[in-house]
Amino acid sequence: MTDQTDVGWTDDEVAKAVGTNPLWYHTMELRPGIVTPGWFDLRPIVGSFPWPDVRGKRCLDIGTYDGFLAFEMERRGASEVIATDIGGHENWDWPPRLRARGLDFMEEFAGPKGLGFEIATKALKSRVQKKVINIYDLSPETVGTFDVVVCGSLLLHLRDPFRALEAIRSVCTGELLSTEQIELELTALHPRTPVTSVAHIPDVQWHVANLAGHRAMITGAGFDIIRTIRPYCDPFGPGHPPPSTSAWRRALCKAMTGRYGVPHSAVLARPFRTT
Ligand SMILES: C[S@@+](CC[C@H](N)C(=O)[O-])C[C@H]1O[C@@H](n2cnc3c(N)ncnc32)[C@H](O)[C@@H]1O
């Protein structure tokens, strides 16, 4: 939580604070030349997302991690941004074998929960507000409603992505920007048929759909798709361990998305209306 009476950090203090976080998920420039060593660097691709106009809107970023997408909405002129996440690693829907390795292992695997967001908010002097809440518990009663909702790279980690999408639908009065990891080989083999790779990374990911599958999940959960972009890759950041992807998959990635990273799909959608 940002201390509103705080006059703010100097650049030296920001650089020091960045070094106290053992794991950054997002690569972000918090001050000129002070860049977090994140696992992923969304900066080169964020401008190509099918963004709605967020100016003057109440916006929600679900599963914010270090907050990159929430800060992006603030930068684009949102009047209010709420960033939500779970409070601890015990709240992920990890598959049983990963869960059995215990909380310490998960902390090492995914970093102390919320520290990156806290440092980034303070360094950026951001007004984004954090709320700890599980995606399944989003409702007009718990968080109110939002003109714009963003949910990035989270459905693949959920045991029940459709229940989560229904919860999103209950708080979304305007538009949903959904960015989600996709399986490229299944996208090439089944360009029009929704299919999914079950246990895509065994014991870590429940499922990763192909491009048609991501879009079908969104429409199946009660949204109409307004805009899409072609598949793209989330580029790895400087903090990512060396990926063990085969040369063939790297080539497929480059051929289908133009760069190497984790393949994704992005759609802009709105809750379907009966009238
Ligand atoms: C892979 S990261 C994606 C971060 C960011 N949204 C992005 O697109 O770059 C998944 C995020 O979702 C959060 N998360 C996992 N399970 C969740 C749940 N059940 N409810 C809310 N957030 C969850 C994680 O803590 C993490 O911050």
Side-chain angles (χ1 to χ4, degrees), residues 35-269:
V35 180
T36 61
W39 272 40
F40 294 101
D41 187 352
L42 307 188
R43 294 175 298 166
I45 52 157
V46 69
S48 63
F49 289 177
W51 284 103
D53 184 359
V54 302
R55 284 173 298 177
K57 307 256 178 85
R58 181 166 200 254
C59 301
L60 173 67
D61 177 32
I62 305 168
T64 198
Y65 224 123
D66 299 329
F68 179 82
L69 294 174
F71 301 133
E72 175 67 15
M73 288 195 279
E74 182 176 51
R75 195 188 65 77
R76 286 171 173 258
S79 57
E80 184 185 357
V81 183
I82 307 291
T84 63
D85 213 317
I86 46 177
H89 291 300
E90 65 278 18
N91 302 122
W92 289 76
D93 275 3
W94 293 125
R97 284 187 179 80
L98 185 60
R99 190 179 294 272
R101 297 181 78 161
L103 203 51
D104 289 348
F105 172 80
M106 287 185 237
E107 282 249 331
E108 200 176 321
F109 182 70
K113 203 86 209 95
L115 180 58
F117 178 87
E118 206 179 300
I119 293 169
T121 311
K122 194 163 171 180
L124 294 169
K125 300 183 179 139
S126 166
R127 290 170 48 240
V128 172
Q129 292 292 314
K130 174 90 172 275
K131 185 170 170 70
V132 170
I133 183 168
N134 198 301
I135 191 168
Y136 298 124
D137 297 327
L138 294 174
S139 72
E141 292 72 33
T142 54
V143 290
T145 58
F146 294 86
D147 305 307
V148 174
V149 178
V150 169
C151 183
S153 305
L154 172 51
L155 299 179
L156 77 157
H157 291 297
L158 298 176
R159 189 187 300 118
D160 195 343
F162 289 101
R163 187 177 144 216
L165 282 166
E166 284 216 80
I168 293 178
R169 193 165 170 273
S170 76
V171 300
C172 180
T173 53
E175 287 139 329
L176 163 68
L177 173 62
S178 168
T179 69
E180 204 55 47
Q181 184 176 337
I182 54 166
E183 217 291 316
L184 274 191
E185 193 177 345
L186 293 178
T187 298
L189 287 171
H190 307 280
R192 275 176 284 279
T193 309
V195 289
T196 197
S197 166
V198 177
H200 186 60
I201 298 181
D203 304 332
V204 178
Q205 298 175 337
W206 289 95
H207 61 93
V208 173
N210 65 348
L211 182 71
H214 173 229
R215 294 176 182 175
M217 286 170 78
I218 299 297
T219 52
F223 291 87
D224 290 329
I225 292 179
I226 310 165
R227 217 157 9 112
T228 59
I229 57 171
R230 58 184 290 241
Y232 64 94
C233 272
D234 274 7
F236 294 112
H240 199 288
S244 56
T245 322
S246 66
W248 182 82
R249 277 197 174 270
R250 281 175 194 243
L252 185 68
C253 210
K254 278 218 156 181
M256 289 181 71
T257 74
R259 74 166 83 228
Y260 174 54
V262 179
H264 273 70
S265 151
V267 305
L268 184 66

